[in-house]
Amino acid sequence: MTPYSKDFPVSWEELHRNARALSWRLLEQGPWKGIIAITRGGLVPAAILCREMDIRLIDTICVVSYEDGEKGEGATKQGELNILKGVEGDGEGFILIDDLVDTGRTAQKVREMLPKAHFATIYAKPAGKPLVDTFVTEVSQDTWIRFPWDMEYTFSTPLVNRQDT
């Protein structure tokens, strides 16, 4: 059983719009030396921020914190936190970017590694929100965000014909 009772699909257009909004907020707080993306979720937001903020120095911190779900549902539960690649320094002058802060487990770990980085996410849930410096949209803790890179277009049965409604 998953702790998520709500589903929040995000389109490419919406993600791009929200990442640009995050860029506006971060531009006011600069200047910045560069961006550190938390893989994999932070890679697409990092690309958008780099373009919008004209930042060329990009690095990654590679973290695995979710396990694959059953029946091809994707990553649905947090597993053991595993740092595959870190970065040097304390993060001063850098934006640390991820798509989402959920429970805060990953955020806490990267905060310990880069205590002076400015941590930014597009989406924040209540449990992780205190660990983030800047975010765009808050969603409830019981919401599963479906990012566009995890989805594909398929036929949708009309609501009136669905068995589960």
Side-chain angles (χ1 to χ4, degrees):
M1 185 71 180
T2 177
Y4 305 104
S5 60
K6 297 180 183 116
D7 203 42
F8 186 73
V10 176
S11 69
W12 284 109
E13 186 176 353
E14 181 178 6
L15 182 85
H16 192 198
R17 183 174 46 252
N18 286 332
R20 289 187 76 208
L22 183 59
S23 297
W24 289 327
R25 292 178 187 176
L26 293 170
L27 274 170
E28 297 171 352
Q29 300 176 50
W32 301 104
K33 293 178 184 176
I35 291 178
I36 302 167
I38 300 173
T39 67
R40 289 178 311 213
L43 290 171
V44 172
I48 297 167
L49 265 61
C50 287
R51 181 207 185 260
E52 297 300 333
M53 300 172 70
D54 194 29
I55 294 175
R56 304 289 175 151
L57 182 56
I58 306 155
D59 203 347
T60 58
I61 184 166
C62 305
V63 181
V64 177
S65 64
Y66 281 94
E67 295 176 356
D68 288 336
E70 297 177 8
K71 301 179 185 174
E73 296 264 334
T76 57
K77 65 179 183 174
Q78 287 200 324
E80 182 180 334
L81 197 64
N82 187 11
I83 305 296
L84 303 176
K85 176 194 167 288
V87 295
E88 291 185 20
D90 60 9
E92 185 171 5
F94 283 83
I95 298 167
L96 181 62
I97 182 74
D98 207 352
D99 54 358
L100 154 80
V101 62
D102 191 329
T103 65
R105 281 183 59 226
T106 302
Q108 184 66 44
K109 185 64 175 175
V110 296
R111 276 271 193 216
E112 291 169 8
M113 296 170 70
L114 301 165
K116 294 186 178 179
H118 185 96
F119 193 16
T121 63
I122 296 177
Y123 301 98
K125 293 185 180 182
K129 188 171 85 167
L131 296 164
V132 178
D133 297 307
T134 306
F135 68 93
V136 175
T137 303
E138 183 174 354
V139 296
S140 63
Q141 199 68 43
D142 62 346
T143 298
W144 184 257
I145 300 174
R146 296 199 183 267
F147 288 100
W149 50 83
D150 291 328
M151 296 186 296
E152 58 186 24
Y153 290 110
T154 63
F155 174 76
S156 177
T157 304
L159 292 174
V160 71
N161 296 334
R162 292 185 185 178
Q163 298 294 328
D164 60 350
T165 57

